[in-house]
Amino acid sequence: MQNPRKPIAMLAMLAWLVIYIVAIGSLSGQIGALSGWLQMPLYILAGTLWILPLKPLFAWMNAVEPPEED
């Protein structure tokens, strides 16, 4: 039987990315009011921090299950 973890993880990643993009996009008005030198590090952080909550999901998705015994 095929492992259902990968399709489930892909849907979870897609949902997380949509939520994260909407959240960062909703903050763009406040971030846009800042000077360019403050905007740059904030957008760099936003562009890299999205991956951190997904690390446990990647570990779960790629975990090897023990073989079933007959």
Side-chain angles (χ1 to χ4, degrees):
M1 182 171 166
Q2 190 173 5
N3 188 352
R5 290 182 181 200
K6 292 194 182 200
I8 293 169
M10 288 188 325
L11 290 174
M13 282 187 272
L14 182 61
W16 166 248
L17 286 175
V18 168
I19 292 167
Y20 190 80
I21 289 167
V22 168
I24 296 300
S26 68
L27 294 175
S28 66
Q30 291 90 353
I31 295 173
L34 301 172
S35 90
W37 291 105
L38 291 174
Q39 288 180 29
M40 186 172 53
L42 288 175
Y43 280 119
I44 290 171
L45 279 172
T48 54
L49 292 179
W50 65 271
I51 194 76
L52 292 179
L54 294 178
K55 287 179 76 169
L57 183 65
F58 290 137
W60 173 78
M61 177 178 72
N62 293 315
V64 177
E65 293 181 3
E68 294 181 15
E69 295 190 22
D70 293 328

